[in-house]
Every structure is written in structure tokens, then in C-alpha cells.
């Protein structure tokens, strides 16, 4: 239903397994047949997991309304799936937010980042660039980054392009992505660059949020070292 182009639905299958096992153990006193020490370890892991999950979701929510500011030097649009018919709905929301910003800020340049996945006919960078041009954004204001395969590389490779274009300058850069993804994008950009970083949150349909916010939790855990300990 989400149609995100990823296998993130596996998260829910794993959840179903966890609750099925819990239901089984709850019956006929099976849980209390497990040694007390093991039960304590299991409960501790569950409690720690819940606390970490709530903390991460709080950080994610804290950036869901970021609007950036006017006059940014660059904005970076983080890639998402390209379909035969054009950008996926998630990607389209990001590009539409970028288009709105570029129309209001005619001096800002844009980099659309993303490689070509096996299930895509064109790279996300090129497809996103072409979409923005079709909406009336001048060609010389939109660049395509076509090598990045994840959010870390989206940020890193786009920053490399900016540094080659304007080396040594103190710039203002916006990260454009869906609201549930802004926190991680901004933190990764801050770790990769000494420039001023701003989030620009694009819309997401409410029924897409449960899947994507749970998936984003795992993204934050995976990239935690880069985001906070870099």
C-alpha cells in the first residue's frame, strides 16, 4: 500500500513474529517456565528498545515542520524511487517542495541526488532534475548527482559537488526531504559539512507515516555514529 519501492514492509512481518511468540509464551504459564535470569534479560532488552524507540521518534518529530529560510545558496533534494511514469509519490512530494522553494528564491541552486537502482529506468538524480525542469525551473539552476545509493551518500556526494563549485565559502544549504526524513538528513549534513544547514520538510500523506517513521528509526540507529560521533 505504501509503494515506497523498498522492502520496509518486512518490519511489520518481524513485528508479527514477535507478538505471535509473545502470545504463545503468555499461554499456559509458559513464560514462567523460563529461568528468571533469562526472563529478566528479555524484559530489560524490551524496555531498553522501547525507550530508545521513543527517543528516536521524538527527534524525528522535532524536525517534521522545518521550513528552512529564504536566500539559501543551495538546496539538496534527497532521492527516492523513480518509476516508469515519473517520480514515486514520496519523491514527488520532495521535488514539489523544492520547486516551491526555488520559485520563491531565484538565486538558489538545486542538487537532486540519487543513483539508478535495479528497479529504475533512470537515476533518481536525473529523473528528479528532469521533473523540476518540466515544472519550469531553469536548467542552469538544477544539477543531478547520480552515484549516491543511500542517504549518507546523498549528502556526502552532493556536498562534494558544492565544494567543487564554491570551494572554501561559508554557505547556507537546505536539505529537502519528506518530513519524517528531515532529522536524519540534517544531522548527516551537519556531520559532513561546516556550512549552515537547514531542513525543508516536504509533505507526506498521513497513512504513509507509520511505515516510514518505523523504518526511519532503524535508519537513525544505523547512522547514529555518523550523525552524533563524527
Amino acid at each position: 500500500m505504501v509503494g515506497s519501492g523498498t522492502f520496509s514492509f518486512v518490519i511489520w512481518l518481524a513485528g508479527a513474529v514477535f507478538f505471535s511468540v509473545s502470545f504463545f509464551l503468555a499461554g499456559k504459564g509458559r513464560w514462567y517456565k523460563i529461568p528468571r535470569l533469562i526472563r529478566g534479560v528479555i524484559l530489560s532488552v524490551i524496555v531498553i528498545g522501547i525507550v530508545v524507540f521513543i527517543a528516536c521518534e521524538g527527534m524525528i518529530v522535532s524536525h517534521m515542520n522545518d521550513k528552512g529560510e529564504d536566500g539559501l545558496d543551495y538546496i539538496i533534494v534527497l532521492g527516492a524511487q523513480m518509476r516508469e511514469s515519473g517520480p514515486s509519490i514520496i519523491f514527488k512530494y520532495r521535488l514539489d517542495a523544492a520547486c516551491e522553494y526555488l520559485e520563491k528564491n531565484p538565486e538558489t541552486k538545486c542538487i537532486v541526488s540519487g543513483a539508478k537502482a535495479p528497479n529504475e529506468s533512470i537515476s533518481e538524480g536525473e529523473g528528479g532534475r528532469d521533473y523540476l525542469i518540466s515544472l519550469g525551473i531553469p536548467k542552469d539552476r538544477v544539477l543531478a548527482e547520480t552515484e549516491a545509493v543511500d542517504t549518507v551518500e546523498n549528502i556526502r556526494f552532493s556536498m562534494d559537488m558544492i565544494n567543487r563549485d564554491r570551494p572554501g565559502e561559508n554557505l547556507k544549504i537546505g536539505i529537502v526531504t519528506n518530513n519524517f526524513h528531515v532529522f536524519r538528513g540534517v544531522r548527516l549534513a551537519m556531520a559532513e559539512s561546516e556550512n549552515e544547514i537547514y531542513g525543508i520538510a516536504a509533505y507526506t500523506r498521513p497513512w504513509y507515516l507509520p511505515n516510514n517513521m518505523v523504518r526511519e528509526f532503524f535508519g537513525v540507529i544505523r547512522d547514529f555514529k555518523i550523525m552524533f560521533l563524527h
Side-chain angles (χ1 to χ4, degrees):
M1 287 178 64
V2 172
S4 64
T6 72
F7 291 98
S8 56
F9 64 86
V10 173
I11 294 169
W12 303 103
L13 298 180
V17 170
F18 171 79
F19 285 109
S20 296
V21 171
S22 299
F23 179 78
F24 173 78
L25 291 175
K28 298 182 179 180
R30 297 185 185 96
W31 171 250
Y32 294 101
K33 294 178 182 178
I34 298 173
R36 180 180 301 222
L37 178 61
I38 296 177
R39 280 186 281 141
V41 171
I42 293 173
L43 288 174
S44 296
V45 170
I46 291 173
V47 170
I48 291 171
I50 291 172
V51 171
V52 172
F53 179 80
I54 292 172
C56 287
E57 292 299 325
M59 290 185 286
I60 291 167
V61 170
S62 71
H63 282 264
M64 289 182 71
N65 293 313
D66 283 7
K67 299 300 180 185
E69 67 171 40
D70 290 336
L72 300 178
D73 298 291
Y74 289 88
I75 58 172
I76 299 171
V77 184
L78 305 184
Q81 190 187 30
M82 284 294 302
R83 302 183 184 278
E84 291 294 335
S85 57
S88 62
I89 187 65
I90 290 289
F91 197 15
K92 185 176 181 295
Y93 287 141
R94 301 179 187 186
L95 294 166
D96 288 344
C99 181
E100 181 180 352
Y101 185 90
L102 292 168
E103 288 176 342
K104 293 178 180 178
N105 296 273
E107 301 301 318
T108 302
K109 287 188 176 181
C110 175
I111 297 174
V112 186
S113 176
K116 177 182 175 296
N119 62 344
E120 296 173 318
S121 60
I122 187 174
S123 73
E124 296 165 7
E126 293 171 312
R129 176 196 61 194
D130 294 346
Y131 178 79
L132 287 174
I133 292 172
S134 74
L135 295 179
I137 304 301
K139 293 181 180 180
D140 61 353
R141 295 181 63 200
V142 188
L143 306 173
E145 186 288 310
T146 61
E147 301 297 326
V149 299
D150 58 25
T151 303
V152 173
E153 291 188 353
N154 285 147
I155 298 294
R156 184 170 297 159
F157 296 167
S158 297
M159 290 296 182
D160 288 344
M161 292 177 65
I162 292 172
N163 291 335
R164 288 193 297 269
D165 187 38
R166 297 178 64 174
E169 295 188 43
N170 184 24
L171 304 173
K172 294 182 178 182
I173 301 172
I175 307 299
V176 184
T177 189
N178 301 96
N179 51 14
F180 61 84
H181 195 218
V182 173
F183 169 71
R184 184 155 60 107
V186 167
R187 290 299 310 186
L188 288 171
M190 291 172 67
E192 289 288 337
S193 173
E194 295 183 359
N195 292 303
E196 296 182 46
I197 305 298
Y198 300 84
I200 300 176
Y203 176 74
T204 304
R205 290 178 179 174
W207 54 90
Y208 287 179
L209 288 176
N211 187 74
N212 282 296
M213 290 186 70
V214 172
R215 178 185 173 215
E216 190 63 13
F217 162 74
F218 291 100
V220 170
I221 296 300
R222 183 193 64 190
D223 295 335
F224 184 87
K225 183 177 179 180
I226 300 173
M227 293 165 61
F228 295 101
L229 304 177
H230 184 71

